[in-house]
Amino acid sequence: MASEDMGIATGEWHPANSSRAIPAVLREDGILLVAAEEERVLASAVPERTEISPRVGSIPRRVSFPDGSVFETRDNDGIDTYLRGKRGARSGLIHRLEQFHPRLILMTLAVILLATTIYRFAVPVLVEVAVLVTPPFVPELIGSGTLASLDRTILKPSELPEGERQPISEGFSKLATHSKGGQGAYDLYFRDGVIGPNAFALPDGSLILTDDLVKLANGDREMILGVLGHEIAHVEGEHSLRQLYRAAGVAALVMLIAGDVGSGVEDILTQGGALVALSYSRAAEAEADRRSVELMRAAGYDPAALARFFVVLEDKLGDHGDASILSSHPGTPQRQQDIRNYAAELERRLQAR
């Protein structure tokens, strides 16, 4: 706040219709006047004929004179002291609202409610529409781009001997024959890398199987095929594509609320490597588990072989909780039981025919 010797406030005086800025002091001597450093009066008027802008945060205040000149100052406290003492006025409604934020609280709650509604109801509908209208070349573009990106970053060629890969590839072909797209809709790629024992599917039907998962199986080929059947089911159900569109929808929602945050949606659509980090929903995982049981039975393999994979996770990796390396939903103990129950149910149906 300015002292009494310094007047009401220090700042700059701008003549009417001019961009010049002259250092000056706002004083009161029966009238409001603006004086330069040499005490030369630059503008003056009775207070009733001046206009003082309201306080808005730390934005400079403007005192407008009848001749069109303006005195501008950042000494908001000095102006407020003058207004309180001489006019009985407070610092302004806008500034008071900035100090107390009920409108911001209401606005925040409204934005949260709107975002939640869009995420819960609008995004799922838009995702399904997007999946329906997606042309075939889009999954192919995403799949090829993702695989190329992964090969440049976290994956490298498989080190498994051909004699170990060949039987898995043949079993995979038998599974794919019984899938909706048929054998030609899927390709199996063996890779090594830093992602550990894993298998995942890309939207175009490309399946990646890591050396570490094959080693984890310890010769249990049907267990590996059960995992691959699970991944085929993800492609059949277009789960990867749905997750991709859901991520894009969330990014669009964030940009709608926060403004332009960059090319987020474009990055998601073009940098398919993000798919690896996306976990499927509980419903998608359960659906893929059941479909694996069906494909394994149709191909003549143990339909519950996938359950053994989760047993291995528990025994060898210490995964006894509610999450697995394939997905965060649901937990491995429950999935084992659900897989075995569904395999038994299929067996009863077959015997009842």
Side-chain angles (χ1 to χ4, degrees), residues 231-245:
E231 297 305 327
I232 288 176
H234 280 315
V235 179
E236 284 186 342
E238 299 178 305
H239 297 157
S240 295
L241 201 58
R242 283 182 170 82
Q243 287 298 94
L244 182 65
Y245 285 142

Side-chain angles (χ1 to χ4, degrees), residues 135-203:
F137 74 86
V138 172
E140 296 174 3
L141 182 64
I142 295 173
S144 60
T146 299
L147 185 57
S149 177
L150 292 174
D151 282 339
R152 289 193 304 268
T153 54
I154 62 176
L155 296 180
K156 59 183 181 179
S158 172
E159 297 181 357
L160 294 176
E162 181 63 25
E164 197 168 354
R165 286 183 289 165
Q166 185 62 31
I168 298 174
S169 297
E170 292 175 354
F172 174 75
S173 297
K174 290 181 64 176
L175 287 178
T177 300
H178 297 279
S179 67
K180 293 180 181 178
Q183 183 177 348
Y186 302 92
D187 293 296
L188 178 62
Y189 297 93
F190 293 88
R191 291 291 188 273
D192 195 9
V194 297
I195 61 175
N198 219 324
F200 54 90
L202 302 178

Side-chain angles (χ1 to χ4, degrees), residues 12-251:
E12 294 180 338
W13 179 72
H14 303 276
N17 303 317
S18 174
S19 61
R20 285 193 304 149
I22 300 175
V25 178
L26 180 68
R27 301 182 185 277
E28 184 200 16
D29 186 13
I31 60 174
L32 276 179
L33 60 88
V34 178
E37 292 181 352
E38 63 274 16
E39 300 299 326
R40 178 168 58 94
V41 176
L42 302 175
S44 62
V46 296
E48 291 77 11
R49 297 195 62 193
T50 60
E51 180 180 345
I52 301 178
S53 63
R55 180 166 184 166
V56 181
S58 60
I59 296 177
R61 304 287 278 281
R62 296 169 61 89
V63 182
S64 302
F65 288 85
D67 63 357
S69 65
V70 174
F71 173 79
E72 189 174 84
T73 178
R74 292 185 176 276
D75 190 355
N76 283 298
D77 292 339
I79 297 295
D80 289 343
T81 299
Y82 165 74
L83 292 175
R84 285 194 298 267
K86 301 302 180 180
R87 296 186 180 182
R90 298 184 179 181
S91 60
L93 176 62
I94 296 178
H95 181 60
R96 293 199 302 274
L97 287 176
E98 285 191 331
Q99 293 176 318
F100 180 63
H101 304 279
R103 59 188 177 85
L104 296 181
I105 294 174
L106 292 176
M107 180 62 71
T108 301
L109 292 176
V111 169
I112 293 174
L113 179 61
L114 175 62
T116 302
T117 301
I118 293 175
Y119 180 77
R120 288 287 302 276
F121 301 105
V123 170
V125 172
L126 293 175
V127 166
E128 294 304 316
V129 172
V131 170
L132 287 174
V133 301
T134 298
F137 74 86
V138 172
E140 296 174 3
L141 182 64
I142 295 173
S144 60
T146 299
L147 185 57
S149 177
L150 292 174
D151 282 339
R152 289 193 304 268
T153 54
I154 62 176
L155 296 180
K156 59 183 181 179
S158 172
E159 297 181 357
L160 294 176
E162 181 63 25
E164 197 168 354
R165 286 183 289 165
Q166 185 62 31
I168 298 174
S169 297
E170 292 175 354
F172 174 75
S173 297
K174 290 181 64 176
L175 287 178
T177 300
H178 297 279
S179 67
K180 293 180 181 178
Q183 183 177 348
Y186 302 92
D187 293 296
L188 178 62
Y189 297 93
F190 293 88
R191 291 291 188 273
D192 195 9
V194 297
I195 61 175
N198 219 324
F200 54 90
L202 302 178
D204 65 339
S206 298
L207 273 67
I208 290 83
L209 176 65
T210 67
D211 291 0
D212 286 337
L213 192 147
V214 176
K215 296 173 184 176
L216 184 68
N218 194 27
D220 189 344
R221 193 176 305 148
E222 287 193 343
M223 188 189 82
I224 298 173
L225 294 178
V227 174
L228 294 177
H230 174 96
E231 297 305 327
I232 288 176
H234 280 315
V235 179
E236 284 186 342
E238 299 178 305
H239 297 157
S240 295
L241 201 58
R242 283 182 170 82
Q243 287 298 94
L244 182 65
Y245 285 142
R246 187 173 293 109
V250 172

